[in-house]
Amino acid sequence: HHIRHHHTRGSALKMNAPDRFELFVLPEGAKKVSYSKDTNIPNAGTFIIEREDHTLGNPIRMQLHKDPDVLFAGYKVPHPLEHCIHIKIQTRPTTNPVDVLKHSVDELISELSTVERSVKSEQERMESIQGSGSYL
């Protein structure tokens, strides 16, 4: 009972899908990050980060939520065919969205470096136990 019609449907989907490089290669002249200040809400603005998706948006949002100076932080992928994320941030008057985003990204990089170091040391430990077998 094999159904064969899915093959043509898959081909049609592939025709509409963007080339892989479009998902991560920045077009010539495009800025990776742009910022626009919110004119209605104090200490708020929106960042547009090109060629990124939930893989970056969600960890940044979670990191921003840890900052006591951040009153609101959220992100969205506006449309599946637009390869960017919008991050909206509102802060206390003592700081601003640009500074808290920079700080959150620095903290995230630091945390990821710590995770990377512990994974590598665990991998080395397992390799020394197992001899030559690769762990990861």
Side-chain angles (χ1 to χ4, degrees):
H1 298 296
H2 292 296
I3 301 170
R4 299 231 176 233
H5 72 280
H6 68 85
H7 185 63
T8 47
R9 192 179 52 178
S11 302
L13 286 174
K14 278 190 183 137
M15 281 178 18
N16 294 332
D19 290 324
R20 290 291 303 155
F21 75 90
E22 285 183 27
L23 301 175
F24 52 86
V25 175
L26 205 56
E28 199 170 326
K31 287 175 72 179
K32 179 71 179 177
V33 180
S34 58
Y35 175 71
S36 59
K37 193 172 178 161
D38 194 310
T39 52
N40 301 318
I41 303 167
N43 308 303
T46 302
F47 296 87
I48 297 175
I49 305 179
E50 289 295 335
R51 299 305 187 256
E52 297 295 345
D53 59 16
H54 300 285
T55 306
L56 185 68
N58 199 39
I60 286 179
R61 177 190 61 82
M62 290 170 65
Q63 193 68 45
L64 285 162
H65 284 178
K66 294 179 184 178
D67 189 329
D69 287 328
V70 172
L71 301 176
F72 175 84
Y75 84 97
K76 67 180 179 181
V77 176
H79 188 277
L81 295 177
E82 284 181 51
H83 312 301
C84 66
I85 55 175
H86 293 196
I87 301 176
K88 191 170 181 78
I89 302 171
Q90 183 184 14
T91 66
R92 298 186 189 283
T94 52
T95 187
N96 62 72
V98 173
D99 289 345
V100 297
L101 181 64
K102 283 180 183 173
H103 180 256
S104 287
V105 168
D106 288 344
E107 289 292 307
L108 202 51
I109 289 168
S110 174
E111 283 183 26
L112 289 170
S113 296
T114 302
V115 169
E116 182 183 31
R117 278 194 303 276
S118 66
V119 167
K120 282 182 176 172
S121 83
E122 180 63 13
Q123 182 180 6
E124 287 165 9
R125 190 181 74 79
M126 292 304 291
E127 284 172 355
S128 70
I129 292 169
Q130 294 173 345
S132 61
S134 181
Y135 180 59
L136 291 178

